[in-house]
Amino acid sequence: MITQPEVEKITEDCINETVQNDEEYGAEKPLGLFGVLDEDLISTFIQHVSKNKEIGVPSIRKHKIKADVFEDIGPDTLCGEVEDLIMDNAVEPKPKKAAEAKKVTGVQKVQKVEKVQKVQHVQEVQKAAEAIKTATASGRKRK
């Protein structure tokens, strides 16, 4: 789970990556106060928050968030509201159980092939032994 201090840092860092400003960060301040004033800057800010692997949501233990959760933000949106959106919508990455299951399945396939090969070998040995037994029995009958 993502924490409140991490969310604050994401929001602040993404603002600073979007625009240069000297304003001290605060959750009660609107994005516009920092210079995030037009659609292009808002879009850039959203991209940083949702996609930037160094400072955005993905930078926190590979969490993810959909950019469309920010579709209603604007210059009047408070930083605290952005933080709330991140807290409510950031999701942890799914465990890699599927990949591990595939590895196990791969190992199981190899084991199954080895077992089949052993059974085939035993069958071949049994056929050879039967052939020898039959040939020996035939040889004894001829005498």
Side-chain angles (χ1 to χ4, degrees), residues 50-113:
S50 62
K51 304 286 185 210
N52 191 312
K53 294 178 181 177
E54 294 176 14
I55 61 169
V57 170
S59 70
I60 307 298
R61 297 174 300 285
K62 297 184 181 182
H63 277 65
K64 295 181 181 184
I65 193 165
K66 293 182 179 179
D68 62 0
V69 302
F70 302 104
E71 66 186 4
D72 294 330
I73 70 169
D76 295 331
T77 303
L78 300 179
C79 292
E81 293 173 308
V82 173
E83 293 173 11
D84 291 344
L85 287 170
I86 295 170
M87 285 292 291
D88 294 343
N89 294 285
V91 293
E92 295 180 49
K94 293 180 181 176
K96 295 185 179 183
K97 290 182 182 177
E100 290 173 14
K102 288 179 184 176
K103 288 179 187 174
V104 170
T105 301
V107 168
Q108 289 172 339
K109 285 180 183 178
V110 168
Q111 290 172 340
K112 186 174 183 178
V113 167

Side-chain angles (χ1 to χ4, degrees), residues 118-130:
K118 285 179 183 177
V119 169
Q120 289 172 340
H121 178 70
V122 168
Q123 289 171 340
E124 290 170 5
V125 169
Q126 287 173 338
K127 284 181 186 178
E130 190 65 34

